[in-house]
Structure formats: C-alpha cells, structure tokens
Amino acid sequence: MQDTINLLLSRRSVRSFEKRAIEDEQLKLLKTATLRAPTAGNMALYSIVEVHDAQKKQKLSEICDNQEMIAQAPLVWVFLADMQKWVNYFHESLAVEKAGKDNLASYRKPGLGDLHLCMQDAIIAAQNAVVAAEALGIGSCYIGDVIENFEALRTLLDLKQYTIPACMLIFGYPKGKKPVKLTPRCPEDSIFMQDSYQEPHLKQLEEAFALHEQQRRATNSLPYENTGTLADYYYLRKHTSAFMEEMNRSTSVMFDWWCNG
C-alpha cells in the first residue's frame, strides 16, 4: 500500500522521452491496467486510438498548438468518449427491433447525460494508465489541447457522431534522471468542503494559492512574474488566451455534433 501512495505522491508530467519504443511486455501490462478502470455499468463507454502513423502524429502535434513532443513521443493515446459502439449494437442487434425497428421515434438517441458518463469512463481509464505507467517506469503527460480544432481531429481520426475526444496522453521512458520537482498543490482545506459548497473569496483564495504565487515569483521565465497577482497572471495567460477561446469554440461544435449530428 505504501508503494502505491508514494507513487501517487511523486508522479509528475514528463515531456521529454528517450527515442525508444515501449517494451512489448510493459505495453501489454499498461493496456491491461487501463482496462481495469471503473466504468459505468461495465459498458466501457470509451475507446482509445493508439496513434502509430508518423504523419498522423505530426498532424496531431500541429492540431494541439504545435507541440512537437507529441510527434516525438513513443506512444500516443487519444481517449474517446464513445457511445457509438452501443448505438451500433442497439441498432444491429435485437434491441432496437424489440423496441420497434420501424418506429425509430421510440428509439432514444444519446444525450448529454450519456456524454457525461462517457467522458467519465474515458478520463478514469486515462488516470489508470497514468498510474500504471508510473509504476512501470514510463513517463506520461496529459495533453489538454486535444479538445481544440475538433473538425481537424475528427477528420484525422475518422471520428463518428458519438465519439468525442476526452483527453490525450503521451508516454515514453523519461530522458535523463533529473531530480523530481513537484509543482505545488492547494492545501487540503481549500479543496475539501463538508456537506455543502463553501464559496471562497479573496482571503481564502490568496491562502489557497500562496505556494503557487511563491513559485511564480521565484522564476523569471514568463511575463508578469513579479507584477500583479496570480489572478492577473492566469487571467491573461490562460483565461483570455487564444487557445482557450478555441477550446470553447471547438467544444461547442463537439457537443452540438453529438446532440444534433
């Protein structure tokens, strides 16, 4: 048990990998551990596209804000919220026939509740993969930018109506043996709330992000390091960024496609 806790407490994102493939036996274990993730109703409401093709990996890196580490990663997994498999199963088995195959008005199309469950399944499986990879000595990094430029990703991976990107992971053996430097996290009492939501305001937020503020001011590699507050920093760098605007646009397209085709 202690080994598992230590693994969780020391895990960090890795963005630079050795130029060698994941060993076959380790890849098999990684897949097995991923599939053991909890899943709603044991329906496995997700699929994983393992991208091998070098040209597709390069295109994927361009879609995701030109992050070359994606193209260079030995292993790339795109996790999909996938209800398409069950839509096909319902239609191609007796399920829809029993409901009245000639009267599709009686057939319930997937809605946003289905999408929510599919997203949960996909992301839970992804986190299983992250922990398993760490145990195997394999580094990993989540790529949030996979929810940008949905139309291009849909074409690249030939996605169907009820398959939506939930997240992406890149894997590889970490390059070098650098000391682990963990990024700060908020203190426990700023995250855990008893019985109801307790809305935080300025004093509580300043306390919650105090370590983040200290780390930001200790480095001089990014703009507005020593001016303004952490709120200024993230508002300008993240909240009002071009990539965040694209994520919101792209996600709106995804959800509309899921609901309306």
Side-chain angles (χ1 to χ4, degrees), residues 194-205:
Q194 186 171 328
D195 295 328
S196 64
Y197 183 72
Q198 298 161 31
E199 184 178 4
H201 292 289
L202 185 57
K203 186 177 185 299
Q204 295 97 322
L205 291 166

Side-chain angles (χ1 to χ4, degrees), residues 144-239:
D145 307 270
V146 75
I147 62 175
E148 294 183 55
N149 302 302
F150 172 60
E151 297 90 336
L153 185 72
R154 177 172 61 190
T155 299
L156 182 70
L157 302 183
D158 193 26
L159 302 183
K160 308 308 178 189
Q161 181 178 358
Y162 300 113
T163 52
I164 298 271
C167 63
M168 182 165 74
L169 282 170
I170 58 175
F171 302 91
Y173 297 108
K175 185 182 287 186
K177 299 296 180 182
K178 296 180 181 178
V180 174
K181 291 184 178 181
L182 299 178
T183 53
R185 295 293 190 256
C186 294
E188 179 183 311
D189 61 4
S190 69
I191 299 295
F192 288 87
M193 303 177 182
Q194 186 171 328
D195 295 328
S196 64
Y197 183 72
Q198 298 161 31
E199 184 178 4
H201 292 289
L202 185 57
K203 186 177 185 299
Q204 295 97 322
L205 291 166
E206 286 177 339
E207 292 173 354
F209 293 108
L211 287 177
H212 298 66
E213 180 73 39
Q214 290 173 21
Q215 186 182 69
R216 183 181 70 88
R217 292 182 182 278
T219 61
N220 296 309
S221 57
L222 294 169
Y224 13 92
E225 284 301 337
N226 295 305
T227 60
T229 66
L230 192 69
D232 298 319
Y233 174 72
Y234 276 109
Y235 184 81
L236 294 170
R237 185 167 180 256
K238 297 281 189 181
H239 193 69

Side-chain angles (χ1 to χ4, degrees), residues 20-258:
R20 61 185 177 108
I22 305 297
E23 295 173 10
D24 288 345
E25 187 60 31
Q26 289 194 318
L27 181 57
K28 183 178 179 180
L29 284 170
L30 183 59
K31 290 181 176 181
T32 300
T34 300
L35 293 174
R36 291 306 308 168
T39 165
N42 199 26
M43 293 176 73
L45 297 168
Y46 68 98
S47 293
I48 302 168
V49 177
E50 187 173 293
V51 184
H52 290 266
D53 184 272
Q55 290 184 332
K56 285 195 172 187
K57 285 170 69 175
Q58 182 59 45
K59 181 63 178 175
L60 197 53
S61 73
E62 294 167 7
I63 288 172
C64 296
D65 278 345
N66 297 301
Q67 297 185 76
E68 190 60 25
M69 63 183 179
I70 298 168
Q72 300 300 323
L75 183 63
V76 176
W77 283 0
V78 180
F79 287 75
L80 302 175
D82 183 5
M83 192 69 192
Q84 190 68 50
K85 64 176 76 175
W86 285 98
V87 169
N88 290 359
Y89 199 5
F90 295 152
H91 274 276
E92 295 172 13
S93 72
L94 294 177
V96 171
E97 186 172 322
K98 288 178 180 177
K101 199 168 186 177
D102 296 328
N103 180 16
L104 289 183
S106 65
Y107 169 70
R108 184 183 75 79
K109 293 182 178 181
L112 289 177
D114 300 284
L115 175 55
H116 203 319
L117 281 178
C118 292
M119 285 286 192
Q120 288 182 37
D121 269 18
I123 292 169
I124 292 167
Q127 188 61 16
N128 251 41
V130 161
V131 175
E134 190 76 11
L136 294 167
I138 299 167
S140 63
C141 184
Y142 278 101
I143 308 293
D145 307 270
V146 75
I147 62 175
E148 294 183 55
N149 302 302
F150 172 60
E151 297 90 336
L153 185 72
R154 177 172 61 190
T155 299
L156 182 70
L157 302 183
D158 193 26
L159 302 183
K160 308 308 178 189
Q161 181 178 358
Y162 300 113
T163 52
I164 298 271
C167 63
M168 182 165 74
L169 282 170
I170 58 175
F171 302 91
Y173 297 108
K175 185 182 287 186
K177 299 296 180 182
K178 296 180 181 178
V180 174
K181 291 184 178 181
L182 299 178
T183 53
R185 295 293 190 256
C186 294
E188 179 183 311
D189 61 4
S190 69
I191 299 295
F192 288 87
M193 303 177 182
Q194 186 171 328
D195 295 328
S196 64
Y197 183 72
Q198 298 161 31
E199 184 178 4
H201 292 289
L202 185 57
K203 186 177 185 299
Q204 295 97 322
L205 291 166
E206 286 177 339
E207 292 173 354
F209 293 108
L211 287 177
H212 298 66
E213 180 73 39
Q214 290 173 21
Q215 186 182 69
R216 183 181 70 88
R217 292 182 182 278
T219 61
N220 296 309
S221 57
L222 294 169
Y224 13 92
E225 284 301 337
N226 295 305
T227 60
T229 66
L230 192 69
D232 298 319
Y233 174 72
Y234 276 109
Y235 184 81
L236 294 170
R237 185 167 180 256
K238 297 281 189 181
H239 193 69
T240 59
S241 64
F243 74 78
M244 201 64 239
E245 183 177 347
E246 169 54 24
M247 282 189 181
N248 285 325
R249 184 210 65 81
S250 181
T251 302
S252 293
V253 175
M254 287 182 211
F255 287 14
D256 181 66
W257 191 50
W258 179 285

